[in-house]
Amino acid sequence: MKPLFFVVSLLFSWQLLATESAPVEPQAKTEAKAGADKVAKDKAELAKATESASVEKPTESELQDSPAVITLTPELVQATAPEAVESTQPITATATNPNAPQVDTSKVLGNETAKPAAIPKTQQEKAVAVAQAEQAVIQAKEALTLKQQVKAKQSRESLAVIEQLIKAYNARNIDAFISIYDENVEFYAFPNELLFKGKEKLIARYGIMFKKLKCIKSSPIKRIVHGNIVIDHELSETCSSDPNVVDKRTELISSYQVENGKITKVLFFR
């Protein structure tokens, strides 16, 4: 009896299971078919989009020949807008801009016109102009420093000594010539070769030359005076037999150092 009951229960359970699974299978098939149709539709749309993109895409030659066109979005247009540049022109107030600062353009470089100096016409005006010029000279002299004034005075005195020397040399006056030199005068050849020292050797050398030559003439070609130093670029001409015939011309450079109205050092540049 128990086996029979077990068989009947098994058959009843099998039939119940078959009844519940019957509607599920068609629903699964329907959902699978809908998913497959959607996938096929998506593939078709993707293929269509790819085909249209390949048709509209320009070739490389077309890109080279065609002009470049750049489309700016509103954000890019705003970003690439030119910055405000401050104008170099003077700003003036106008009816539309009454608050603009006033700028004086009368002193801008190039706007000024040179005015010629007025020429004095009357005698009184000429006298005033002369007085003003003299006052300007006085002020210029006063503007010199004490050192500059001392240097200028020293230069004038040194130049006067050398002028006396050249005059005595050309006259072949040995007494006037040696009186311009210091007792311990030194003669050098550039740069520092001592030739002789003292007046005795100076008299022996130049005294014989003055007696032997018929004419001597020294004339400066160029002269530099700086304080107590005088540098002469000289042209020396001598006559050995006839005082009217110059038979030797020589250019030489001599530097003289003057102290207290006397020449203390002579440097010859050979």
Side-chain angles (χ1 to χ4, degrees):
M1 191 68 183
K2 286 182 180 181
L4 181 61
F5 179 78
F6 176 76
V7 171
V8 174
S9 299
L10 184 60
L11 290 176
F12 182 76
S13 298
W14 177 264
Q15 186 177 2
L16 182 60
L17 181 61
T19 304
E20 291 177 354
S21 61
V24 174
E25 183 177 358
Q27 184 178 358
K29 289 182 179 181
T30 302
E31 292 177 355
K33 184 178 180 181
D37 292 341
K38 184 177 182 181
V39 171
K41 185 177 180 181
D42 292 340
K43 288 182 177 181
E45 291 178 355
L46 179 61
K48 184 176 180 181
T50 304
E51 182 179 359
S52 62
S54 62
V55 171
E56 295 176 359
K57 182 179 180 181
T59 63
E60 184 177 357
S61 61
E62 291 176 347
L63 287 174
Q64 294 177 354
D65 297 337
S66 61
V69 178
I70 301 175
T71 304
L72 298 177
T73 61
E75 292 79 8
L76 292 177
V77 171
Q78 184 177 2
T80 58
E83 298 181 357
V85 179
E86 182 179 356
S87 174
T88 58
Q89 299 298 325
I91 303 173
T92 56
T94 59
T96 57
N97 189 14
N99 297 326
Q102 295 289 341
V103 178
D104 183 10
T105 60
S106 62
K107 296 183 179 180
V108 177
L109 183 63
N111 289 352
E112 297 182 358
T113 304
K115 297 181 180 179
I119 301 176
K121 298 179 180 180
T122 64
Q123 194 68 23
Q124 184 178 1
E125 290 179 352
K126 291 181 180 180
V128 172
V130 171
Q132 291 177 351
E134 292 177 350
Q135 184 65 26
V137 172
I138 294 174
Q139 291 177 355
K141 289 182 178 180
E142 292 176 351
L144 293 174
T145 62
L146 180 61
K147 183 178 180 180
Q148 289 173 324
Q149 293 178 12
V150 171
K151 183 71 71 174
K153 181 181 178 182
Q154 193 178 37
S155 297
R156 291 192 299 268
E157 293 176 351
S158 300
L159 180 59
V161 171
I162 301 305
E163 289 288 350
Q164 294 176 12
L165 176 70
I166 298 299
K167 184 178 179 179
Y169 179 83
N170 291 339
R172 292 181 296 159
N173 188 340
I174 189 63
D175 293 330
F177 182 76
I178 63 173
S179 67
I180 303 173
Y181 289 92
D182 185 74
E183 291 291 335
N184 298 314
V185 62
E186 297 177 348
F187 282 76
Y188 288 87
F190 182 83
N192 55 3
E193 179 187 352
L194 180 62
L195 299 177
F196 61 90
K197 180 179 178 180
K199 272 192 175 183
E200 292 184 1
K201 293 185 178 180
L202 174 65
I203 294 172
R205 174 171 297 210
Y206 282 90
I208 295 174
M209 184 179 67
F210 287 169
K211 290 180 180 180
K212 182 179 178 179
L213 296 175
K214 300 301 179 180
C215 76
I216 298 176
K217 183 180 180 180
S218 177
S219 54
I221 299 173
K222 186 176 182 180
R223 175 172 287 167
I224 299 174
V225 183
H226 182 72
N228 67 332
I229 301 297
V230 179
I231 302 175
D232 263 2
H233 178 194
E234 307 172 9
L235 174 63
S236 177
E237 299 176 333
T238 59
C239 308
S240 58
S241 57
D242 189 344
N244 297 319
V245 178
V246 175
D247 51 20
K248 186 178 180 180
R249 288 186 176 89
T250 306
E251 288 189 21
L252 54 97
I253 298 176
S254 305
S255 172
Y256 303 93
Q257 179 175 322
V258 182
E259 295 180 5
N260 299 321
K262 301 290 182 178
I263 298 173
T264 57
K265 184 177 180 181
V266 180
L267 177 63
F268 295 117
F269 295 82
R270 295 176 178 177

